Amino acid sequence: MDDEVVLTYKKKKRQGRVRCIAGIVALIVAFFIGFLIGFLAMKSKSEDEKKKSEMHDEEHEFQRRQEEAKKYHLDFQKGVSEARLNSSLMYFSEKPHIAGSPRQKELANELERRWKEYGFDHVEQPEYKALLSFPNTTHPTRITIKYKNGTIIHQIKGEEQDGGSEKAVQPFLGYSPSGKEEGELVYVNYGRVQDFEQLKNLSVNVTGKIAIMRYGKIFRGNKVANAASYGAIAALIFSDPADYALAGGDPKNTYPNTAWLPASGVQRGSLYTFPGSGDPQTPGIAAKPGMYRRSLKESELPPIPAHPIGYGDAIEFLSRMKGPEAPKDWRGSLDITYRLGPGYNDNDMTVSLEINNYYEVKSIFNVIGTIYGDIEPDRYVLIGSHRDSWVNGAVDSVSGIAITTEIARGFGELKKAGWKPRRTIKICSWGGEEYSLIGSVEWVEQHEKLLTERAVIYLNADAVISGNYLFAMSSSPLVKNTLLEFTKMVDDPGAHGDKKTLYDVMAERDPADPRADPPKPKVGNLGSGSDFAPFYQYIGVPAADFRYRGYNNTPVFYPVYHTQHDTFKWLTKFIDPDFKYHKALTQFCGQLLLAFADTPLLRMNAMLYAEALEESLKSLNSSYGDELKSHSTLGLLESAVVKFRETADHFTKAQNEMEKKIREFEEPSFAELRRFNDRLIKVERAFIYAYGLPGRRLVRHVIFAPSKYNLYGSSSFPGASDILFKLHETGDTNAVDLQLSIATQSVLAAVDILKGPY
């Protein structure tokens, strides 16, 4: 074989080996690539399965927590005890416990002891120093009808005459100045501004006279302030049987034979015309020991002496008056001819008042019990009731204490069984409410920044069982539907026929629209006069207030209000002998509190605020349409309300999608929930104007607040309404534009809060 052939053979042989090796390498590489792809695919599949499993576990855990919460809530309902409610009501109403008294401190200590025993994480008693007033027992008040030669015809000795507790404070009006006055009486009906204006039209002059008026319609402090502004030198206030003894004043028809007020019953109360202002000497500043206090002269205390009397005494004064007969709608049900005065049918007669009260700074104690939240400890849901009463106060407000204490006990039982609320719960007992909401106001002032950031809702339990005819509620628009949903979950003790629940009976007896079919219960707007005011109208925390009221199948205000007859005996004899109403209200308030504490997405509805704003505008136009025609700022407010509705609609659709996920047990992230929940809470904050309403710097809610001239009811756009009410006197149209502009800016601020993205 020649050399060329050999070389060619060897070359081909080497190429074959190379190709073989390359093929083997290719096979090995292909094998490893295939193996790697398979491994990675299996790993990815395994990770996907693991991820899905973890997601399933998370969903399962979320579902488990939701179902567990429902079980705990049901356990609370079942555990409410009529016997324990009875025991608490009896203990806390056993003795008189006016603000600042030693008994108040005893009751505070008892609540602290109980709540610690129930297992609360923290219980405290913050102390405040507050200006109070009391009757002088050394030189007691005397109100006398006498002849000018000094002979006494009738005298009120400043004390009730039918065996009240020896430790009960004698009838007086808180913060009334002392003073001696003598002169003629003028009857001024309820003491409203329109009543004094009507007297002017009838040519009856109040200047230099003593005004005598009946309780009802407006806050007593405003009655006296109105009298002073029209020139009266002093005032007497009585409880007319037309308002407090509907069966008449005959003893057989009044307490102790029935629930109606007897002739000797005297309604005490505060005259401070800035309810919700707290301690008169420290407005805007928490009255902690050592803090600055303004002088009495600067404290805007009542201007003229005033005193309460029973209708048994009132008849002695009114029956001796001369002058024209009172208008028909001014006449009560005393068996006399109601006359306006001034003066008396005997020209030698006169009336003298010697009112002796004194001011004193005393310690006020709140009790705050806290159960820390497990997931959102920095968000607070609160419920509160005040602890002080003018006398024994079984209704006002021991019924509230009994209910909040039973809620505290029930929550303690849940906690011992393993329950942890999602959010922090605070149960509050306020001191000094009766004088000027002192305990709650001072606490809110002290913690304003904290509560503005963290408070979710405040529920108020003041005088919750004052009757047995009708359950009534008032609240922020945000939660009205939620309240109604929960009334469907509690049986009404007055159930009859097919009317089983609180909702059913409310819809029957107090429908929002009687023409609707089916009717829906009414839920009012918040006014003032109780401890929700500093939360709602000072810092913009959504709030709600509840009470069962009415007697003898009528929705009347309870007749023994602020008298010595508001006792355990009265309440258990005529209103709730078996504590069924107390139980129903405990179940309702407790369930509501649990829902706001545990529900991931807050049950609040911005669209309800849109409806409320539209209704408020309608009300403003209805009352003052003629006066508003020339104000272009009204158009700006109307446009802002339209914008709010559009934005609230978009927000609510996104909120409903989130709610749907939760119902399917798909847990949103913490951040997602915060975005929705904080917007809902802060809508209410948007309506707080830092500088307050005209003449009321500590009332700051520009949509819903009491009118300056009627502190019980709620007024729509109260800043503008108050200015418009007096516009015929002041002519200050610039002030109207200012208030409408403030309201517009607040509504647009709420729009900003609700805007997407979600």
Side-chain angles (χ1 to χ4, degrees), residues 235-246:
L236 294 173
I237 313 178
F238 71 97
S239 305
D240 197 294
D243 302 304
Y244 295 90
L246 301 194

Side-chain angles (χ1 to χ4, degrees), residues 285-356:
I285 302 171
K288 298 297 290 181
M291 296 290 272
Y292 168 78
R293 307 186 66 82
R294 64 181 179 177
S295 68
L296 290 178
K297 187 176 180 180
E298 298 172 296
S299 297
E300 303 168 277
L301 296 168
I304 59 175
H307 195 74
I309 59 177
Y311 61 82
D313 283 314
I315 199 169
E316 297 287 344
F317 294 85
L318 294 167
S319 64
R320 291 178 164 88
M321 290 175 61
K322 67 179 182 181
E325 286 191 30
K328 189 174 182 179
D329 59 344
W330 285 33
R331 302 170 195 171
S333 59
L334 291 172
D335 189 18
I336 60 169
T337 299
Y338 285 75
R339 296 188 179 276
L340 299 177
Y344 314 101
N345 49 30
D346 186 332
N347 291 331
D348 288 332
M349 201 176 78
T350 189
V351 168
S352 68
L353 280 67
E354 182 184 341
I355 295 174
N356 293 311

Side-chain angles (χ1 to χ4, degrees), residues 382-384 399 403 457-466 470-475 479 483 487 523 526 532 543-549 585 588-590 592-593 596:
L382 307 99
I383 189 170
S399 62
I403 282 173
I457 192 167
Y458 173 75
L459 307 179
N460 194 52
D462 177 6
V464 286
I465 308 296
S466 65
L470 176 68
F471 182 49
M473 305 186 294
S474 300
S475 75
V479 297
L483 302 189
T487 60
V523 182
L526 290 167
F532 59 79
D545 183 68
F546 324 97
R547 58 195 66 206
Y548 225 107
R549 60 187 175 87
L585 264 290
F588 174 80
C589 291
L592 197 59
L593 193 65
F596 282 112

Side-chain angles (χ1 to χ4, degrees), residues 624-666:
Y624 301 106
D626 291 339
E627 294 89 339
L628 288 167
K629 284 177 182 175
S630 60
H631 293 273
S632 59
T633 45
L634 179 64
L636 297 176
L637 179 57
E638 291 169 338
S639 297
V641 170
V642 170
K643 185 68 175 174
F644 182 89
R645 171 173 274 279
E646 293 170 353
T647 309
D649 183 52
H650 291 306
F651 175 85
T652 302
K653 286 175 181 174
Q655 183 186 5
N656 290 340
E657 285 298 312
M658 178 69 72
E659 185 62 49
K660 182 181 177 184
K661 287 183 180 180
I662 292 171
R663 283 198 304 271
E664 295 170 353
F665 300 111
E666 181 181 337

Side-chain angles (χ1 to χ4, degrees), residues 559-580:
V560 296
Y561 173 65
H562 286 188
T563 73
Q564 68 170 356
H565 306 300
D566 181 359
T567 60
F568 181 88
K569 180 180 177 181
W570 182 89
L571 183 51
T572 56
K573 182 176 181 180
F574 298 107
I575 304 301
D576 196 15
D578 300 320
F579 283 80
K580 293 179 180 178

Side-chain angles (χ1 to χ4, degrees), residues 1-12:
M1 187 178 292
D2 57 26
D3 292 342
E4 185 177 341
V5 171
V6 170
L7 288 171
T8 301
Y9 172 77
K10 288 181 178 179
K11 184 177 179 182
K12 287 181 177 179

